[in-house]
Amino acid sequence: QVQLVESGGGLVQPGGSLKLSCEASGRLFRISVMGWFRQVPGKQRELVATITSGGSTNYADSVKGRFTISRDNAKNTLYVEMNSLKPEDTAVYYCNLRPPEWLGQRDYWGQGTQVTVSS
């Protein structure tokens, strides 16, 4: 079983920064694709960024150049550093773990952490 626990959310002014963390239990972290997603009420959950086990990254166009995803496999922890935050970045941010396909396991999700960008 995998448990994902996010932390680091909060209230920040436009233009400010936040760093979210996601700590994973179990042994799947270092071999899995990890990602951050976000969701606002009434809308679908959307991709923010992903990072492979080898460190290759992918970003949504809306966050490119402002957000940086990273991982520490020794600590089983995923991060996203968010800079130049905008009100439209306000959402609940979720951590996602996608095991390798050959394992035949489902994705895992954290409980989410609220990020509010407002003056």
Side-chain angles (χ1 to χ4, degrees):
Q1 257 312 352
V2 173
Q3 287 191 324
L4 302 173
V5 180
E6 300 102 333
S7 60
L11 173 64
V12 63
Q13 292 189 341
S17 299
L18 275 178
K19 186 173 184 177
L20 306 183
S21 301
C22 169
E23 188 169 352
S25 65
R27 298 181 178 182
L28 290 180
F29 180 88
R30 61 191 62 201
I31 63 171
S32 298
V33 175
M34 297 298 300
W36 289 100
F37 290 72
R38 65 188 182 187
Q39 189 170 22
V40 298
K43 291 191 175 181
Q44 284 193 331
R45 193 170 296 188
E46 65 174 13
L47 171 73
V48 174
T50 61
I51 184 167
T52 68
S53 57
S56 296
T57 58
N58 179 57
Y59 295 92
D61 287 343
S62 58
V63 307
K64 276 180 185 174
R66 300 188 299 121
F67 289 15
T68 302
I69 190 171
S70 61
R71 64 192 295 163
D72 186 336
N73 287 339
K75 295 182 179 180
N76 268 21
T77 303
L78 176 73
Y79 305 98
V80 62
E81 185 150 8
M82 307 185 294
N83 298 313
S84 302
L85 282 161
K86 306 175 182 180
E88 51 263 44
D89 295 317
T90 296
V92 177
Y93 283 71
Y94 295 92
C95 176
N96 172 262
L97 183 150
R98 177 161 292 179
E101 286 188 12
W102 55 267
L103 281 175
Q105 293 191 26
R106 63 174 178 87
D107 282 21
Y108 293 90
W109 293 91
Q111 81 288 350
T113 186
Q114 177 70 46
V115 171
T116 302
V117 184
S118 175
S119 54

